């Protein structure tokens, strides 16, 4: 029992092994081998020798639990956070920031070669942050009680719904720690019931904190099960008395037994209904429900790179497929004749229209629908883009959209991606459709985690010397 004869080697579940870590997996985990059998080890780094316990055996690979690092990599560092090992918020804090950035660049290089099968592409080093901590402008944390009945607020442990209580989170803005402390005190002082997802009972479900990084405006959102919130005036006073600069305190009501954090209804308990922030010169109103990129500093870096790669001269028609709330469209509108944004979520398009109006931008038009359906409709109407920007979700672009774009024959395509593997797949398709990938710039939007965001510049092949 528990033994597996795989690839001519015998591995045994729950047995300890000493292995050499030869590579990094997509999530930054170490990858090594027991004979020929591949094992993934969270928390282990390339070039380390580690003792592991083999906790899972699948057909083609296993999962090892790190027991001890026997010889450590130069990239290993002490995590700043005391709950790091138990919390599911970050997964690269045990690696120096320099090594995190190299890991991200290598991840992009690897998929571009292996999946994209592209050669002669300039892949730049990942643009990191000067301070790779306290960068999140939004945090939303579950509230509950532990088995001793104490109030806990924190991220869920990996692959579970156990809340890991925290006093301080190093990736969120520091105001978040202060808000959480006050909310915990309020819950204890007035014996407020916390939500129990198993029974769908109790009151306080989540706390969300948003901050405008340029404006310093702070919004606190208390998500409740049910319309009433006892001692709400006391909560408002406690937050205002203890934390400087709170501009908005909101109750969000979510009565559903669901993993979705926010409900659709909001009540303002104090101050404004929205806070504002800027990306570049553009001002955005942010409500509890609005989508807004969580790393304000790097978003500006990413969008400026997209604008640079689009290389607009002022007379171009631009399509921004997957435009969300139109933030990239607004950036592009500065140097274009007209930008058409397409997005599947109607509320995001409403926000995009409002954002354009409030910034006095008159050369944008936003369309609700699937990019793969709406862009061919625009082309049928005789509207053709000189430059196309795509920023799809993790699964990448629909292949039919790539075909429609190529058929329209724009001079340039700028691809913004949050998943290097689907990006590489799509760049390969675009290469076959006559678009050459010239430059790739990874940007670190989520330090201390394995996420990689990338901007890519492509040009129509006949315009470059092949
Ligand atoms: C990575 S986000 C990009 C958002 C935006 N460009 C930004 O920077 O804030 C991807 C967006 O694509 C939208 N989306 C998903 N599938 C879509 C489709 N088939 N057609 C159009 N938009 C889609 C999602 O709702 C989401 O807003």
């Amino acid at each position: 029992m528990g033994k597996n004869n795989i690839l001519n080697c015998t591995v045994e579940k729950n047995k300890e092994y000493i292995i050499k870590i030869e590579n990094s997996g997509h999530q930054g985990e170490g990858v090594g081998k027991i004979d020929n059998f591949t094992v993934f080890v969270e928390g282990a780094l390339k070039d380390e020798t580690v003792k592991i316990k083999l906790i899972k055996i699948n057909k083609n690979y296993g999962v090892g639990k790190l027991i001890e690092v026997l010889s450590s990599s130069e990239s290993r560092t002490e995590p700043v956070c005391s709950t790091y090992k138990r919390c599911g918020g970050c997964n690269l804090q045990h690696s120096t920031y320099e090594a995190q950035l190299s890991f991200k660049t290598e991840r992009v290089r690897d998929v571009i070669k292996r999946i994209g099968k592209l050669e002669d592409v300039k892949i730049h080093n990942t643009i990191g942050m000067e301070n790779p901590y306290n960068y999140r402008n939004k945090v939303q944390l579950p509230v509950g009680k532990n088995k001793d009945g104490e109030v806990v607020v924190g991220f869920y442990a990996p692959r579970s719904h156990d809340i890991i209580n925290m006093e301080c989170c190093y990736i969120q803005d520091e105001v978040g720690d202060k808000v959480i402390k006050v909310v915990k005190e309020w819950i204890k002082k007035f014996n407020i019931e916390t939500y129990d997802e198993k029974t769908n009972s109790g009151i306080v479900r989540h706390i969300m904190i948003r901050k405008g990084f340029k404006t310093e405006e702070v919004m606190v959102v208390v998500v409740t099960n049910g319309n009433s919130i006892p001692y709400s005036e006391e909560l408002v006073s406690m937050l205002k008395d203890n934390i400087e600069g709170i501009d908005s305190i909101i109750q969000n009501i979510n009565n559903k037994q669901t993993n979705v954090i926010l409900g659709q209804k909001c009540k303002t308990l104090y101050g404004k209904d929205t806070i504002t922030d800027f990306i570049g010169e553009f001002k955005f109103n942010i409500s509890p429900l609005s989508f807004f990129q969580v790393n304000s500093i790097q978003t500006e870096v990413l969008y400026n790179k997209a604008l640079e790669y689009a290389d607009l001269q002022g007379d171009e028609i631009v399509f921004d497929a997957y435009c969300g709330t139109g933030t990239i469209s607004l950036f592009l509108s500065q140097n274009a004749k007209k930008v058409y944004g397409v997005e599947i979520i109607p509320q995001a398009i409403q926000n995009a229209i409002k954002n354009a109006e409030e910034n006095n931008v008159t050369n944008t038009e936003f369309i609700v629908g699937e990019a793969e359906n709406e862009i061919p409709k625009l082309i049928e109407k005789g509207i053709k883009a000189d430059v196309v920007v795509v920023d799809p979700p993790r699964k990448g672009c629909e292949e039919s959209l790539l075909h429609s774009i190529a058929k329209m024959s724009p001079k340039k395509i700028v691809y913004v991606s949050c998943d290097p593997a689907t990006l590489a797949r799509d760049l390969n398709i675009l290469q076959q459709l006559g678009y050459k990938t010239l430059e790739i710039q990874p940007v670190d939007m989520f330090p201390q985690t394995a996420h990689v965001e990338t901007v890519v510049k492509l040009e129509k092949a006949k315009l470059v010397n092949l």
Side-chain angles (χ1 to χ4, degrees), residues 47-84:
D47 299 328
E48 291 187 328
T49 304
V50 293
K51 187 198 271 185
I52 60 148
K53 184 172 179 181
L54 192 61
I55 53 170
K56 204 171 182 181
I57 301 178
N58 292 329
K59 194 165 165 234
N60 299 319
Y61 69 93
V63 177
K65 183 172 187 296
L66 182 63
I67 309 264
E68 195 184 343
V69 178
L70 301 172
S71 87
S72 68
S73 153
E74 281 180 4
S75 305
R76 182 165 286 280
T77 188
E78 196 52 43
V80 290
C81 175
S82 59
T83 46
Y84 170 62

Side-chain angles (χ1 to χ4, degrees), residues 291 293 303 320 322-325 327-328 342-345 369-372 391-393 395 398 418:
F291 171 82
Q293 293 274 4
Y303 288 1
D320 178 14
Y322 309 93
C323 72
T325 51
T327 39
I328 294 184
V342 182
E343 158 67 43
I344 202 167
I345 297 179
E370 290 172 332
E372 56 275 24
D391 181 8
K395 66 177 183 167
E398 282 297 320
C418 53

